[in-house]
Amino acid sequence: MQTYDSRNDVPEAEKWNLADIYTSVEKWEADYRKIEELTEELRSYDGKIENGNDLYHFLHKEEVVELLFKNVYVFARLSGDIDTRDTQAQSLLEKADQLGVKVNSATSFFTPFLLSLEKSTLERFIDEEPRLDYFKKDLLDAYRYKAHVLSKENEELLSRLGESLSSPIRTFGMINNADMTFGEVTDGEGKKVRLTRGMYSKLIEDEDRAKREEAYRAYYKPYVQLKNSIASTLSSAVKTNVTLSQLRNYPSALEKSLFGKKIPKDVYENLIKTAKENLAPMYCYTELRKETLGVTELRQYDLAVPLVKGVKEDISYEDAYETMLEALVPLGSDYINVLKEMKNSRYIDVRETPGKRSGAYNMGLYGTHPFVLLNHQDDLDSLFTLAHEMGHAMHSHYSNTHQPQITAGYTIFVAEVASTVNEVLLINYLLKNAKDKEYRKYLLNHFIDQFKGTFFTQVMFAEFEKKTHERAENGEPLNVDSFSEMYEALFQEYNGEALVLEEETKYGWARIPHFYRPFYVYQYATGFAAAIDIANKILSGDETTLRNYLEFLKSGSSDYPIELLKNAGVDLTRPEPVENALSLFGELIDEFSAL
C-alpha cells in the first residue's frame, strides 16, 4: 500500500485541482467582497418589493449571490479538508461561514414577506412578470411552510445566530479530525507507532486477533477519554435541533427533518420496524462468524475480519478505477466516458496524508464540476468506496448539466441511490468474474458485511437518533450515561446475543459524525433498498429501467424525492423495496453458509 508522510509527495494527478474554482486566494477574496456588496443590495429590498418586477430582480440577485457563495464556501472547505491543521485554510472557512450568516441575515425578511402576501397577489406578480416563471414552483411551494415561519424580526434573529447554532458540528469536526490522537499499536518490526484511521481500517481486518484487539483499543481510547466533552457537544446538537423544531411549530424534530422533502413519517418508522422484524439472518450471521472464527466469545473487534482467509488482495488505485469502469458498463458509454474524464481532469483527491479529513465524500459545484475526497487504502473496501463516491459525482454531473441552477441540487434522500447502484453493479461484476470458489466466498462475505454496514447499522443509528431526540423532547437528560445506555442496548439488539460486548462498545455514539446532521443516516438504508431494486432490473437487461434511471440522475430536485424514485420504478411508501432487500440478505447468508 502506498503511504505518504506529506501531501507534497502525492502525485499531482491524484490531487484536486482547486484552480478550477479559484486560481488564487486573491480571486477568492475578490468574490468574497463582491458577495458582501450584493448582500447589502439584497437587504435593501426589505419592504420595497411592490410588484412582479421588484420580486424578479430580488430573486435573480439572490441566485447570483447563492452561486458565488457556493464557490467561496466550497473552495474554503476543500482547502481546509486537505489539511485540517492548516490555519490559513481554516481561516478562509471561518470567514465563509461568517459570510453565510450575513447572507442569511440579509435575506431572512423574504420568506415572512412572501407568506404575508395573499396567494392571489403572488399569482398576479407572476402573471405580470414572465421571467418569474423560472421561480414559480419554489414560490408557490413556500406556502407549505406558512405555519412554520416566524416573524421577520425573529427570522433575522435566528439567522444571526446561525454560526453559534452550528457550533456543535464544527466543534466535533475539530475534535475528530484535528485534535484526535489515537493510541499506539505494534508495527511489523515490533515497534510502537501511533495509530491512524487508515491503519485502523486495515488492522481491524487483520487475521491476527491480537492485532485486531490492540487496534480496537487504540482506536477507541481517545473517544473514551473525551466521552464527556463529546457527549456535551452531541447533547447540544440534539437539543438545538429540538428547540428549532419547537420554535417553528413542528410536531417533532423528526417531522421537521422530513417536511421539506415531503417524506411521510411512516417511511422512517416502517424502515426501523421492518428491519427489526427481519433480524434473524443477522443473528444467524453473527453465530456463523463466531463458528467460522473458532472463538469461544465473539467480540466487536471480530466483526470486520474477513471469514475467508488467504484471498485478500491489494488493489491499487489505478486497478480499482479500471475495475469500476468495467463493472459500470451496463450504465452506458456516456456514463463511462464521463468517469474517465473525471479521473484525467483531477476531480479526485486520492491519498490519506497527515491532517487530511477522514472518510470520503463528493461535493458537486454547479457551473464547475464535482470534487471527490478519498483516503484510498489499496484494498477492496477502497474499491467500493471509490464506486460509491463516483456514483455521487456522476449524479452531480448529470443534474448540474441537465437542470437549471434552481433545481440542480438533489436531496440526500435520493443521493444514496446513485452511489449504491454503483456498488451493487460492482459486486455483481466481481461475483460473476470470480472463477475461484474461495474468492467467491470472500466476495459474498464482503457484500454481506457491506449490506450489514449500509443497511442494518444505519437503521440502528436512525433508531438511536429517534430515541435521543424523543428524550430531549420529553425533557429527559442527555449525557454520557444516557447516550451509552441507549447505544449499547441497540448494538446488542441489532447484532444478537452471540456477540459479547466490550466496555468500549457503549461509547460508539461518540465517533459518528453523522449524528450532527439530524435524521440523515436512514437515507443510506432506504437508498440501499431502492438501489438493489434498480440495479437488479438493469442487470436483467431491463432497458426501460436503465432509461428511467439515467433520467433520474439528470433530474436534480425537479420533483419531490419520493416521486423521482417512483419515476425510476421504486415506491418507498410501500414495504416491498425494503422487504426485497432483506430477502436478498437472507439469500446471501444462505449461500455463504452453504459454501
Side-chain angles (χ1 to χ4, degrees), residues 118-128 136 140:
E118 292 294 328
K119 200 169 182 181
S120 58
T121 304
L122 175 61
E123 288 167 341
R124 175 168 56 80
F125 284 0
I126 293 170
D127 287 340
E128 68 187 26
K136 181 177 179 179
L140 294 175

Side-chain angles (χ1 to χ4, degrees), residues 256-474:
K256 173 181 177 289
S257 175
L258 302 176
F259 182 83
K261 304 165 194 169
K262 266 194 178 177
I263 307 295
K265 187 181 177 184
D266 288 349
V267 169
Y268 195 99
E269 293 180 333
N270 287 339
L271 173 69
I272 295 172
K273 179 174 179 288
T274 306
K276 293 178 80 164
E277 289 171 350
N278 289 273
L279 286 172
M282 271 288 292
Y283 298 162
C284 177
Y285 182 55
T286 305
E287 292 281 1
L288 183 62
R289 178 170 278 280
K290 177 182 176 182
E291 178 186 331
T292 305
L293 292 175
V295 295
T296 54
E297 291 183 337
L298 187 73
R299 301 281 185 168
Q300 193 174 350
Y301 47 80
D302 298 322
L303 296 181
V305 59
L307 297 181
V308 184
K309 306 200 184 299
V311 293
K312 196 173 179 183
E313 59 179 338
D314 285 337
I315 306 170
S316 71
Y317 174 64
E318 293 294 329
D319 288 344
Y321 215 94
E322 285 304 311
T323 300
M324 176 186 68
L325 292 175
E326 291 167 13
L328 301 182
V329 163
L331 296 179
S333 58
D334 181 70
Y335 194 100
I336 298 300
N337 289 334
V338 174
L339 276 176
K340 290 178 181 176
E341 177 61 23
M342 286 182 175
K343 180 173 181 286
N344 296 335
S345 297
R346 296 175 55 197
Y347 293 6
I348 311 167
D349 205 86
V350 179
R351 299 294 174 182
E352 181 185 32
T353 49
K356 185 176 176 181
R357 180 187 172 94
S358 63
Y361 64 70
N362 160 72
M363 191 171 289
L365 182 58
Y366 190 82
T368 307
H369 58 71
F371 291 85
V372 175
L373 179 137
L374 301 173
N375 282 277
H376 195 82
Q377 298 296 324
D378 292 355
D379 56 16
L380 191 63
D381 280 334
S382 290
L383 168 58
F384 275 91
T385 298
L386 173 66
H388 181 101
E389 297 304 335
M390 298 316 291
H392 287 311
M394 290 299 295
H395 197 177
S396 295
H397 165 78
Y398 277 127
S399 285
N400 286 348
T401 52
H402 288 84
Q403 293 290 324
Q405 183 182 336
I406 196 169
T407 54
Y410 49 81
T411 68
I412 301 301
F413 191 84
V414 296
E416 295 308 324
V417 176
S419 54
T420 310
V421 162
N422 279 14
E423 291 192 72
V424 177
L425 292 177
L426 175 60
I427 190 63
N428 274 275
Y429 171 82
L430 294 173
L431 285 169
K432 183 179 177 182
N433 289 279
K435 303 290 191 291
D436 180 72
K437 178 183 173 183
E438 289 301 301
Y439 189 57
R440 181 174 181 83
K441 283 164 58 179
Y442 175 67
L443 291 170
L444 281 169
N445 180 200
H446 186 276
F447 191 38
I448 288 167
D449 284 339
Q450 179 199 0
F451 200 123
K452 179 185 169 186
T454 309
F455 187 85
F456 285 105
T457 300
Q458 304 309 322
V459 176
M460 181 188 78
F461 288 166
E463 187 171 3
F464 177 79
E465 285 191 285
K466 187 170 183 288
K467 285 177 177 290
T468 55
H469 281 78
E470 286 172 348
R471 285 207 180 190
E473 286 162 347
N474 293 331

Side-chain angles (χ1 to χ4, degrees), residues 66 70 173 304 320 327 371 385 438 480 483 555-556:
E66 180 186 314
K70 282 180 179 175
F371 291 85
T385 298
E438 289 301 301
V480 168
F483 284 139
S555 60

Side-chain angles (χ1 to χ4, degrees), residues 437-582:
K437 178 183 173 183
E438 289 301 301
Y439 189 57
R440 181 174 181 83
K441 283 164 58 179
Y442 175 67
L443 291 170
L444 281 169
N445 180 200
H446 186 276
F447 191 38
I448 288 167
D449 284 339
Q450 179 199 0
F451 200 123
K452 179 185 169 186
T454 309
F455 187 85
F456 285 105
T457 300
Q458 304 309 322
V459 176
M460 181 188 78
F461 288 166
E463 187 171 3
F464 177 79
E465 285 191 285
K466 187 170 183 288
K467 285 177 177 290
T468 55
H469 281 78
E470 286 172 348
R471 285 207 180 190
E473 286 162 347
N474 293 331
E476 298 173 36
L478 285 177
N479 51 40
V480 168
D481 292 339
S482 57
F483 284 139
S484 299
E485 172 230 322
M486 284 184 282
Y487 191 88
E488 186 175 47
L490 287 170
F491 200 90
Q492 189 82 77
E493 182 180 7
Y494 277 78
N495 287 277
E497 294 298 326
L499 179 68
V500 177
L501 301 188
E502 304 299 316
E503 174 62 23
E504 291 91 341
T505 301
K506 67 176 72 169
Y507 302 116
W509 53 267
R511 63 182 184 84
I512 311 299
H514 284 118
F515 289 159
Y516 297 85
R517 300 180 69 179
F519 304 109
Y520 176 103
V521 294
Y522 84 98
Q523 296 164 117
Y524 285 114
T526 53
F528 192 75
I532 286 174
D533 201 56
I534 290 168
N536 285 339
K537 288 175 183 174
I538 290 172
L539 287 166
S540 72
D542 186 335
E543 291 293 330
T544 301
T545 296
L546 176 59
R547 282 196 304 273
N548 289 343
Y549 176 63
L550 292 174
E551 285 304 310
F552 161 80
L553 294 181
K554 298 171 184 175
S555 60
S557 56
S558 57
D559 205 343
Y560 290 109
I562 287 284
E563 299 307 315
L564 292 174
L565 282 173
K566 283 181 182 176
N567 294 339
V570 181
D571 185 355
L572 284 172
T573 64
R574 300 173 62 83
E576 286 82 2
V578 175
E579 290 172 348
N580 290 342
L582 291 169

